[in-house]
Amino acid sequence: MTTVVEVHGLRYRYPDGTQALDGVEFCLHADESVALLGANGSGKTTFVLHLNGLLEGEGTIEICGKRLTRQNAAEARAKVGLVFQDSDEQLFLPTVLEDVAFGPSNQGLSHSEAIARAHATLEQVGMGSALQKAPYHLSSGEKRRVAIAGVLAMDPEILVLDEPTTFLDPPGQRDLVKLLRALPQAKILVTHDVSLARQLCTRAVFFERGKVAGEGPVDEIARRFNWTPA
Ligand SMILES: Nc1ncnc2c1ncn2[C@@H]1O[C@H](COP(=O)(O)OP(=O)(O)OP(=O)(O)O)[C@@H](O)[C@H]1O
Ligand SMILES: [Mg+2]
């Protein structure tokens, strides 16, 4: 089976001295969906920010067989579609439609092709009626949907979603599960929601203090690390 993400010995220290990653070993196969579980502050977000070069630590990262470097980070960014934990960091253009069309247009699609793709993915996430709204006027759940549409519009080979269901209402969560299930890409899903992980992923990786403390079937990992809600 093809490995699309392979990480060895990844370490990262924030400028204030926090050792957020302390030797992460990780791999993701094509067609696979993996859940990243772990306590607040265990390093999940820091880890995923490395996969498309937004942060640069020590160790090695291979994306689709190619070692990630500062020079080819733009290429990795096109392959790894990352939905940020905080949508405000993702949305920056004056209208929803322009924002979602920005990525595909940056990838070289013509303006009309990019707009058509943005229309389609905004429909997919239930935001087809907010095309001309300003992203900063949207509700939190609406922002999250637009951020997801923006990433889908770039048709990445690997989808990384950091807490994608936060702020989504229950129908929105169900629709997202349905949508993600239908997408062929390999996926990394960062979540505290074991039931969501179970619905979308066959494997879970558990982060603890900047390292992978265990991995295996979602239920087994949830049991082993006592990862069930009150
Ligand atoms: N910009 C930053 N500067 C300094 N420390 C940071 C920064 N961002 C995160 N950290 C620290 O790095 C560690 C890992 O944080 P990270 O956001 O990766 O955790 P997480 O597993 O995603 O947590 P959560 O479940 O709360 O989203 C934490 O100790 C956090 O305080
Ligand atoms: Mg996080």
Side-chain angles (χ1 to χ4, degrees), residues 39-41 43-46 48 85 162-163 190 192:
N40 296 133
K44 305 177 302 294
T45 294
T46 305
V48 298
Q85 183 163 13
D162 197 348
E163 302 286 0
V190 181
H192 293 299

Side-chain angles (χ1 to χ4, degrees), residues 12-21 37-49 55 85 162-163 190-192 207 210:
Y12 182 76
R13 190 191 287 270
Y14 280 104
D16 74 350
T18 306
Q19 187 76 42
L21 299 180
L37 307 177
N40 296 133
S42 58
K44 305 177 302 294
T45 294
T46 305
F47 173 67
V48 298
L49 290 174
L55 290 179
Q85 183 163 13
D162 197 348
E163 302 286 0
V190 181
T191 186
H192 293 299
F207 270 67

